[in-house]
Amino acid sequence: MERRTITPRPGWQQTVEEQGLIYPLTRYPDGELRPYWDESAYYVFSLPEVEALEEVVEELHAMCLAAAAHIVEKDRLADLGITDPRLAALVTEAWHRSSELPSLYGRFDLRYDGTGAAKLLEYNADTPTSLVEAASPQWFWMEERFPGADQWNSLHERLVDAWKEQARLLPPGSPLYFAHSAGDELGEDLMTVAYLRETAEQAGLATDAIAMEDIGWDRLSRRFVDKRLGFIRSCFKLYPWEWLTTDRFAPYVLETLDNGGGTGTTLWIEPAWKMLLSNKALLAVLWELYPGHPNLLPAYLDGPRELAATTGYVAKPLLGREGAGVTVHEAGAAAPADVPQEPCCYQELAPLPAFDGNRVVLGAWVVADEAAGLGIRESAGLVTDEYARFLPHVIL
């Protein structure tokens, strides 16, 4: 793994926007716009290195599924903050019927510096983003800048194949809706959903688009409907389950949830059992089940334990996103004055490796249970937040 600098292509911004990345810039607190898509540098991997990382990702994914089974079998959903009996029952049912429910993708965030073992930082298994830039613009960048090179990137083909394989699980006779929130100002959610819709259509599925805010509730039929009052039988949503099950429509979501086996009237993708994987409590369960595993970091739910005095730790809200609410605590530091207001997972502090002063995290994608691609983000600090930059990579 090596970071190399390079001169950006002339007109790079227009190029990536035409390839679907309509959010190539990030506005910073001072009002300045700086590149989110950053092609002033790129990362190089060897083929054996990528093949080894693929094996790690698929092993981690299998371990996460085993951890999900453990959570259900041992009735530990409360550890994830899932305390509502009705919701817990539906998540459990979804897990038991997972073979009947479409499930598309997820993204592992890994700490890796090219020398030691890759370490799991978290699993974004419900509503992962940065898919568009990983699947499309970085592939075309490679073809233009390094013709004949390769890339850890079979995302597009695998997504199309996954839709083809799972089409049989979708309700017949109605389109698959793709929903994003109209509150997304950057356009990232919009383009992620649009891209996934494109892969579904390439797989031969009938689709339709809708904003989450435009999904209606028909009181007479007790079904979710679109603006034309058409029934929504299946819907891919880039809208987290913890929102879907707590907003004002939550009672209707639970009432009508299609969990496979012909139950309910609306099937949501990703399915409800993904709540078991998209929760930071999963990290602690993994460490319980696989203590000392070379690709895991020690993690606990009841406090930092020995980490406070030895390695330091990171406190992560169970449902945080883009670094929100994450706090870093050095070894031996005084106990924080403020007790976290929400449940956290306490994970060993493993500072992100620095390449030319940039903190790097690998986003390794899984599609239909197989490793499928890589996206790389850089940040200035230890926490990868909304100001991170995306850099392309090649295999040489």
Side-chain angles (χ1 to χ4, degrees), residues 284-301:
V285 175
L286 284 168
W287 187 248
E288 288 179 32
L289 298 179
Y290 306 97
H293 192 283
N295 301 120
L296 297 178
L297 294 168
Y300 309 104
L301 294 177

Side-chain angles (χ1 to χ4, degrees), residues 27-38:
R27 186 175 298 279
Y28 281 67
D30 61 3
E32 181 181 357
L33 288 171
R34 304 176 196 172
Y36 163 64
W37 167 268
D38 186 355

